[in-house]
Amino acid sequence: MLTAEDLLLLLLDDETGKPIIDRTKLDHALAGALLVELAVRGCVDIADRGEKVRKGRLIVRDASPIGDEVLDKALRLVSDKEGSKPVSVLKQLGKGLRDRLLDRLADRGILRREQGTILGLFPTRRWPTADARHETEIRASLHDALVNGHPPDQRAGALISLLLAVDGLRKVVDTRDKRAMKRRAKEIAQGAWAADAVQKAVKAVDDAVMAAIIATTVVSSNHG
């Protein structure tokens, strides 16, 4: 399972199959999860001073195919855009990504495809949970790290950092003390669970979400 697939399961309502956060945030988070996974695998990095691209830009360390269709497509895109700012690549990484991941999860029997119509005219599709076992394991690992204070593994650390970036933690992890959970999440996001490149990839998601919020606010103001 990809980190992006785990993240999508967490951010879908199990019964309705609909996103529990804003769709723009969701798409940025899923794209960011791909970038994080490529960084974790040592395929992609954030350049340092004196490299072939400017400091802080995306650089490819290993362009060898990974063997996963979604990751390989993402790696090819990043290779084509090498030297770009991480935040500028997220929108392209996110194009059609959610639908591809939903189809993969349905093909595995984890989600269920449900066809329908709105007002009897417009086709619609829902993705309720069919097999919750994997998602339950993910949620338990997040709860252990955020509520019980256990050190997160690399997967949990990535998911916590991405959820924090899109303000999704409070909707995913069940706890009475939301403030304490957020403090713990920030500690994890800034901790030593991941390499510098991975943390910078997570920051790119945060930056992209903020940029999208600002853009939406500006558009709304102009039409107000």
Side-chain angles (χ1 to χ4, degrees), residues 18 24 52 67 86 93 112 117 157-158:
K18 295 180 179 180
T24 298
K52 64 178 180 178
L93 282 174
R112 185 172 65 252
T117 59

Side-chain angles (χ1 to χ4, degrees), residues 194-222:
D196 187 49
V198 177
Q199 292 187 348
K200 288 177 180 175
V202 172
K203 184 180 183 302
V205 179
D206 205 1
D207 292 344
V209 169
M210 289 304 299
I213 291 171
I214 291 169
T216 302
T217 302
V218 170
V219 170
S220 299
S221 300
N222 289 340

Side-chain angles (χ1 to χ4, degrees), residues 10-72:
L10 293 169
L11 293 174
L12 290 179
D13 183 277
D14 288 350
E15 294 184 7
T16 67
K18 295 180 179 180
I20 61 174
I21 65 170
D22 175 82
R23 291 174 187 267
T24 298
K25 287 185 178 182
L26 174 58
D27 289 341
H28 283 317
L30 296 177
L34 290 187
L35 197 58
V36 167
E37 188 139 353
L38 291 174
V40 166
R41 291 171 178 264
C43 303
V44 173
D45 202 349
I46 309 297
D48 246 327
R49 195 181 304 277
E51 301 209 60
K52 64 178 180 178
V53 302
R54 292 175 61 183
K55 182 181 179 182
R57 303 297 178 94
L58 286 170
I59 187 169
V60 176
R61 301 295 188 197
D62 185 355
S64 305
I66 297 165
D68 180 276
E69 181 184 1
V70 171
L71 284 181
D72 284 338

Side-chain angles (χ1 to χ4, degrees), residues 101-116:
L101 296 179
L102 287 168
D103 278 327
R104 282 166 55 119
L105 290 167
D107 288 343
R108 293 192 190 118
I110 296 173
L111 297 181
R112 185 172 65 252
R113 294 182 185 88
E114 287 189 356
Q115 306 283 354

